[in-house]
Amino acid sequence: MPNLASPRCDATVAWAALRGHHEAHGREFDLRQAFADDPMRFDRFGLQAPEVFADLSKNRWDELTRRLLVELAEDCHLAARRDAMLAGDPINTTEGRAVLHTALRAPRGAGPFSTDVHDVLDRMLAYAERIRAEAGAAYTDIVNIGIGGSDLGPRMAAIALQPYCHPGLRLHFVSNVDGHDITPLLQGLKPERTLFVVASKTFTTQETMSNAEVAREWFVANGGKDTARHFVGVTTNLKAAAEFGITDTFGFWDWVGGRYSLWSAIGLPLAIAIGADAFRTFLDGAHAMDKHFAQAPLLQNLPVQLGLLDVWYRNFHGFTSRSIAPYHQGLARLPAYLQQLEMESNGKGVDSDGRTLPFGTSPVVWGEPGTNGQHAYFQMLHQGTDVVPVEFIAVKRPSHGHADLHTKLLANCLAQSQALMQGKTSAEAATEKAPTASQTLDRTVLARHRSFPGNRPSTTLLLETLNPRSLGALIALYEHRVFTSGAIWGINSFDQWGVELGKALCNQLLPRFTSGDSTGLDGSTAGLLARLRG
Ligand code: F6P
């Protein structure tokens, strides 16, 4: 590993300069004024990366902010940290592992472990094509059983790429250990027409193994024959899969983090749905973004710019969340996917050396597709007391033929970022007619209710079309953005110790549901246990 010894980000010269810049110009920065002062602002703050154009101009930053943020990246050795990841150095120090999801989408012969990667990829895609060839006859339903990274990625991508999916195959996803998830699904399936994909990096996850057992019992109880043909495993733990009785297995490696595993054999259900060629195109799109991340200067590097903007908002403006608003129904599960990607990666309270951090890390990431969100929580985004940067994602060309619907969708998308920025003064509101407003309320009071502060920041990401290539590039963009902010904060973005305590306590509580023993439990847990057993 290169020597990355550096002061922590908050001890750098650039951090102090950013602090001063925020005091002098950041706190009071007004987007409306910025556009009035600079007719070229859209051009100056627009960035084209592979498959994705980003309008960064409606954010509360200026050229100096961006320069200082790049200096911060340099002070924190961002480029060397990135290169260490891409080279396969063990940057996941708490688990002693490399972080090489980028190798999964490198062309044959180009990345680390290329022979292993392409061997599994070739076998997996050949298997996917075999299943597709038998669609309708042997198989009609594919059920992915997995959770977290073994669910969210393929589920999100299969919805996004629905127009590319095989029309003769229905894809289902079971993740929750709640029986309300798998039970209704099984009711509609036929064992002889179903393929279960048991997807788990570790093959020990309680939820996945429990659901896989339920599926196997159901299969046998309903006359299913030839388990080997109807269950396939995707895991790094080939031994555990064999012990479960699965003979067809596609492996991957400990240098693929769960939330970065969509590109590995975890992508099998997606590959079955969209086919080998489209899956390779999906990998190519991600690889194009990898090259951009590896090579573009930091000021023109889109994932870097987005990651630095995240740091600016989190640590200088003090914004605690970011809302994702994809204006495309196909991206309905993107916010859920990004929650794991960003919050499991950067939701850390100590740096890589174990020192408690005195500054904020991962924001809360949340959202829903537009326009649905507009009719739910956008009220708070426009008039609430917290500033929440919003990330709009728009797609120029739809895959349906309803051009008028698409135009309305896009107009809504632009109108929302415009409204967030422009706002409306009380004076403006007072001049307007408001047919549904009270006729008796004082007009000044009413105008205050109907005013908007504005100056609310947003980013808009534009894709030409939503297809395998652009989706691959978009996801890789988010991965590298999360890497960037994590690297600035000096945290390990690739472990997830925070999920362990709950798992351990669950295992301790399970036998108490049978025994009723509440010895040593806190009063609340004991009380709830008693009520749930009663
Ligand atoms: O509990 C968190 C986690 O380990 C995630 O990081 C992971 O994506 C998920 O569980 C599922 O893990 P596995 O693929 O090993 O079943």
Side-chain angles (χ1 to χ4, degrees):
M1 280 222 281
N3 180 10
L4 299 178
S6 57
R8 205 174 55 197
C9 58
D10 57 332
T12 60
V13 173
W15 187 277
L18 282 161
R19 178 75 59 223
H21 181 58
H22 180 257
E23 287 300 323
H25 304 287
R27 201 186 293 285
E28 303 302 325
F29 187 89
D30 192 294
L31 283 165
R32 295 152 294 198
Q33 193 59 49
F35 276 96
D37 291 347
D38 181 4
M40 298 301 290
R41 186 172 169 85
F42 175 76
D43 298 296
R44 272 193 239 289
F45 287 80
L47 248 181
Q48 181 69 57
E51 304 292 330
V52 186
F53 171 80
D55 172 19
L56 302 169
S57 65
K58 290 199 192 89
N59 283 296
R60 290 200 203 168
W61 61 354
D62 56 19
E63 303 272 15
L64 180 56
T65 321
R66 288 178 75 187
R67 277 210 304 281
L68 291 175
L69 284 167
V70 166
E71 283 176 24
L72 177 67
E74 286 162 358
D75 287 354
C76 295
H77 303 293
L78 174 67
R81 289 178 189 275
R82 172 199 63 198
D83 295 347
M85 173 176 75
L86 299 177
D89 289 351
I91 62 166
N92 174 358
T93 49
T94 61
E95 296 180 306
R97 292 175 182 170
V99 174
L100 273 174
H101 44 279
T102 49
L104 299 169
R105 53 235 191 180
R108 202 180 298 275
F113 302 108
S114 188
T115 309
D116 293 345
V117 165
H118 282 272
D119 173 52
V120 176
L121 181 62
D122 291 345
R123 283 198 306 112
M124 166 184 127
L125 294 183
Y127 177 86
E129 286 299 326
R130 258 203 330 276
I131 301 296
R132 287 165 65 82
E134 295 184 67
Y139 300 108
T140 53
D141 295 87
I142 314 294
V143 181
N144 190 76
I145 302 179
I147 197 164
S150 301
D151 164 76
L152 289 163
R155 192 195 287 250
M156 172 273 294
I159 296 170
L161 299 178
Q162 189 276 329
Y164 297 84
C165 290
H166 195 300
L169 289 170
R170 286 180 292 264
L171 211 52
H172 314 274
F173 290 86
V174 171
S175 54
N176 201 340
V177 78
D178 181 351
H180 297 102
D181 198 1
I182 195 167
T183 307
L185 171 64
L186 292 178
Q187 280 162 2
L189 296 179
K190 293 194 175 74
E192 68 279 11
R193 295 273 181 276
T194 303
L195 175 69
F196 291 98
V197 180
V198 184
S200 173
K201 178 176 172 179
T202 55
F203 231 76
T204 57
T205 303
Q206 181 201 60
E207 293 88 336
T208 301
M209 299 329 297
S210 307
N211 277 320
E213 272 158 31
V214 169
R216 188 174 52 187
E217 279 164 23
W218 168 88
F219 182 80
V220 173
N222 287 276
K225 308 241 168 359
D226 200 357
T227 316
R229 257 178 60 80
H230 291 272
F231 283 79
V232 60
V234 178
T235 184
T236 59
N237 190 348
L238 300 179
K239 187 165 164 279
E243 280 162 14
F244 184 86
I246 293 183
T247 46
D248 260 336
T249 313
F250 298 97
F252 58 110
W253 306 273
D254 69 0
W255 40 261
V256 181
R259 54 195 172 274
Y260 298 88
S261 62
L262 171 58
W263 324 97
S264 72
I266 290 292
L268 177 62
L270 178 66
I272 294 173
I274 66 174
D277 288 348
F279 193 82
R280 287 191 193 276
T281 306
F282 174 64
L283 298 181
D284 287 347
H287 180 65
M289 189 60 76
D290 294 343
K291 280 205 297 196
H292 170 81
F293 179 53
Q295 295 167 5
L298 299 187
L299 256 179
Q300 277 91 50
N301 195 311
L302 185 54
V304 169
Q305 288 295 306
L306 288 171
L308 293 175
L309 179 61
D310 293 339
V311 171
W312 174 240
Y313 280 160
R314 186 73 185 93
N315 302 123
F316 297 91
H317 281 280
F319 303 152
T320 55
S321 90
R322 190 173 84 250
S323 184
I324 311 290
Y327 276 65
H328 193 301
Q329 197 59 30
L331 296 174
R333 291 292 292 175
L334 184 70
Y337 174 80
L338 295 180
Q339 279 176 337
Q340 187 196 19
L341 179 64
E342 189 152 345
M343 295 164 77
E344 200 173 70
S345 295
N346 285 349
K348 310 286 164 63
V350 298
D351 68 11
S352 293
D353 294 329
R355 293 174 298 183
T356 301
L357 294 174
F359 51 78
T361 56
S362 175
V364 177
V365 176
W366 58 285
E368 277 287 321
T371 59
N372 296 4
Q374 289 174 211
H375 297 274
Y377 53 77
F378 267 56
Q379 163 66 39
M380 180 268 197
L381 300 180
H382 286 291
Q383 288 189 313
T385 50
D386 288 287
V387 174
V388 179
V390 183
E391 203 149 281
F392 295 94
I393 305 172
V395 179
K396 187 169 171 184
R397 297 183 205 289
S399 57
H400 58 72
H402 302 286
D404 52 335
L405 285 182
H406 196 62
T407 307
K408 286 174 187 159
L409 177 75
L410 294 181
N412 269 285
C413 179
L414 295 194
Q416 288 302 318
S417 67
Q418 206 182 12
L420 284 164
M421 175 173 76
Q422 276 180 4
K424 186 194 287 180
T425 63
S426 292
E428 285 168 339
T431 63
E432 294 175 344
K433 288 205 169 66
T436 58
S438 161
Q439 298 303 310
T440 54
L441 187 65
D442 180 274
R443 287 184 65 78
T444 318
V445 173
L446 181 60
R448 284 200 202 116
H449 283 274
R450 300 187 60 253
S451 71
F452 294 64
N455 200 28
R456 304 227 152 167
S458 67
T459 295
T460 301
L461 302 179
L462 292 186
L463 310 183
E464 187 72 20
T465 54
L466 184 59
N467 58 27
R469 182 180 301 279
S470 64
L471 184 69
L474 182 69
I475 300 168
L477 168 68
Y478 275 103
E479 288 177 347
H480 298 321
R481 168 208 202 138
V482 167
F483 175 89
T484 297
S485 51
I488 299 296
W489 290 324
I491 60 184
N492 181 356
S493 299
F494 300 101
D495 60 12
Q496 55 283 321
W497 300 106
V499 300
E500 295 300 329
L501 179 58
K503 285 184 191 172
L505 291 182
C506 175
N507 286 335
Q508 288 170 23
L509 278 169
L510 268 175
R512 293 182 189 261
F513 273 81
T514 310
S515 68
D517 176 17
S518 60
T519 319
L521 292 179
D522 63 86
S524 166
T525 309
L528 292 170
L529 177 67
R531 278 182 171 257
L532 286 169
R533 289 187 74 249

